[in-house]
Amino acid sequence: MARKGEDKAYVKELTSKREDFAQWYVDVIRKTDMADYTTLKGCMVIKPYGFALWEGIRQALDQRIRRTGHKNAYFPLFVPESLLKLEADHVKGFAPEVAWVTKGGSEELEEPLAIRPTSEAIICSIYAKWVQSYRDLPILINQWANVVRWEKVTRLFLRTTEFLWQEGHTCHRTQEEAQEETIRMLEVYREFAETELAMPVLYGEKTDSEKFAGAQKTYAIEALMADGKALQAGTSHNLGQHFAKVFQIKFLDEDQKEKYVWQTSWGVSTRLIGGVVMMHGDDYGLALPPRIAPVQVVFVPIYFSDSMEEVIRKVKELGDKLGAYRVELDLRDTQTAGWKFNEWEMKGVPLRIEVGPKDIKKKQVVMVRRDTREKTFVPEERFVETVGEQLEDIQRNLFQRALDFRKDNTSHTDDYGEFKEIIERKRGFIVSGWCGDPLCEAKVKEDTKATIRCLPLEELDATGARCLACGKPAAKRAYFARAY
């Protein structure tokens, strides 16, 4: 298995990212065995490699959720129609996407059951039984679950009929506690995305037209994908007392007065996997951040028949020294070394280590980074230390590269003509003035397909700014973009 003559056939079927981003995205997911289509339109199979990536994301986020005092539970998949319809705005917001069960076996159900598009209705009906006194508060519960939304247009991981997510649902004694919880979880999402996914995000409040159905306020983290579109990567909702009053979630406070609880809900989903693919991938396939990569280090032995035993023994010896990392030893004898190089590069493994007879003699290994494709020769005595350093540097580099891309693709204008030109030619985030009128927001969306992604928590100076649509003095500066 010579190191020269790397087999390029593995990447021939990968569409150029620049020429056709949408097809490139599908090609990468299919080629890396992350997911597959099924006979049921809009549904996907998450294959072992893709699910391992989700497990890494889930584990890292779950640790953070638990550290904030939340506990995991599980609630029913089915929601009785009467419960879902109790909250008019909520059911109206999800009505086109709700899937219904009307028969159990061969018998018609007395009441249709919705397959949860989200769990507020079923959870609130249960919380109404659990909450009696201020001593029962706060309730801090999260669940990892699947949900169903009957989408008309689907795309692997980004938007599917059934998908996986986590959804937190909390109850609080005061309005201040609920708002504090809402912002705390938004910050958990921001830190998680940037630390684990190497995904820089904007964070702020959604406008009324973009907020969650039934919420008092919705906040989100927004990431910029490599094609210049925004991706809503997570949301945190202050539900106020809206659902509490609908579902009668009341408690006797310390002053002996009966009061309604204040609520929040928040969640992220498997669309984060799509975000990682689009943000970091290239024409060679995935480029995964080491913190969430299913395989952080892959060993590829380079040998001929007379050196096979020696090289494999050395690879196993070195692999045993990396017990702190997720390691794969590619000992297959059915593929060339070049094929393996391309396959693991396509799968986005952060660090590849090559070992051949010459390397053994020189007491070294060859390390190849996925992010830069840079090759270095590392003395065996510094091998373990260098692996740790390289993985940390790859994580930092992927984040910085994405951050630089966002900076380079963020524009500023209050001129509507210039705005239209940028959104067509360059895309990206555009910081522009908005008067606060929903009609102006709707006009921009109708004219350009761009929406207000968020109103940043740290408000941008709007002095002298003009509203894009009407030209009146702007109340705020907002981040606009086309989005997934």
Side-chain angles (χ1 to χ4, degrees), residues 437-455:
D437 189 335
L439 293 178
C440 288
E441 180 186 7
K443 175 176 172 54
V444 174
K445 182 177 181 179
E446 182 180 353
D447 291 348
T448 69
K449 298 180 181 178
T451 55
I452 294 177
R453 302 316 305 161
C454 72
L455 304 168

Side-chain angles (χ1 to χ4, degrees), residues 212-224:
F212 179 70
Q216 188 177 85
K217 291 183 177 181
T218 289
Y219 300 86
I221 56 172
E222 297 277 339
L224 187 63

Side-chain angles (χ1 to χ4, degrees), residues 191-206:
E191 185 274 332
F192 161 76
E194 297 192 342
T195 301
E196 303 291 334
L197 310 184
M199 180 182 288
V201 294
L202 302 174
Y203 54 99
E205 186 177 351
K206 289 288 190 179

Side-chain angles (χ1 to χ4, degrees), residues 14 119 130 142 182 240 250 273 307 316 334 373 438 477:
L14 189 61
S119 297
W130 291 358
N142 174 65
T182 306
K250 297 184 288 187
I273 294 177
S307 59
K316 290 180 177 179
T334 55
R373 308 181 80 220
R477 286 195 185 276

Side-chain angles (χ1 to χ4, degrees), residues 59-110:
Q59 182 180 28
L61 181 55
D62 192 62
Q63 289 173 351
R64 287 166 168 80
I65 291 173
R66 289 173 184 271
R67 283 200 297 266
T68 53
H70 301 82
K71 294 183 179 180
N72 288 335
Y74 188 80
F75 295 88
L77 172 68
F78 301 111
V79 185
E81 182 181 33
S82 57
L83 281 182
L84 194 62
K85 287 188 172 182
L86 276 178
E87 205 292 292
D89 290 339
H90 187 61
V91 71
K92 182 181 178 182
F94 283 102
E97 302 172 352
V98 176
W100 294 95
V101 177
T102 58
K103 292 180 69 175
S106 60
E107 297 181 5
E108 292 287 336
L109 298 180
E110 291 184 9

Side-chain angles (χ1 to χ4, degrees), residues 109-213:
L109 298 180
E110 291 184 9
E111 180 181 11
L113 300 174
I115 301 176
R116 61 177 168 227
T118 181
S119 297
E120 275 74 12
I122 190 70
I123 290 178
C124 286
S125 69
I126 294 168
Y127 282 178
K129 296 191 299 182
W130 291 358
V131 178
Q132 303 296 325
S133 164
Y134 70 93
R135 295 184 180 89
D136 299 323
L137 300 172
I139 292 179
L140 305 175
I141 287 181
N142 174 65
Q143 78 163 343
W144 293 90
N146 61 335
V147 292
V148 171
R149 295 180 184 176
W150 215 257
E151 302 280 3
K152 293 182 179 179
V153 180
T154 59
R155 186 176 297 178
L156 295 171
F157 288 114
L158 293 178
R159 196 175 294 276
T160 50
T161 300
E162 179 189 9
F163 56 92
L164 305 179
W165 75 351
Q166 60 75 211
E167 50 178 327
H169 295 270
T170 70
C171 293
H172 303 268
R173 187 176 176 183
T174 68
Q175 182 177 10
E176 292 73 22
E177 286 179 14
Q179 179 64 11
E180 183 180 322
E181 164 81 357
T182 306
I183 299 302
R184 175 169 55 247
M185 297 316 297
L186 181 72
E187 172 58 21
V188 167
Y189 288 156
R190 183 207 63 78
E191 185 274 332
F192 161 76
E194 297 192 342
T195 301
E196 303 291 334
L197 310 184
M199 180 182 288
V201 294
L202 302 174
Y203 54 99
E205 186 177 351
K206 289 288 190 179
T207 62
D208 285 347
S209 67
E210 295 286 326
K211 72 182 181 182
F212 179 70

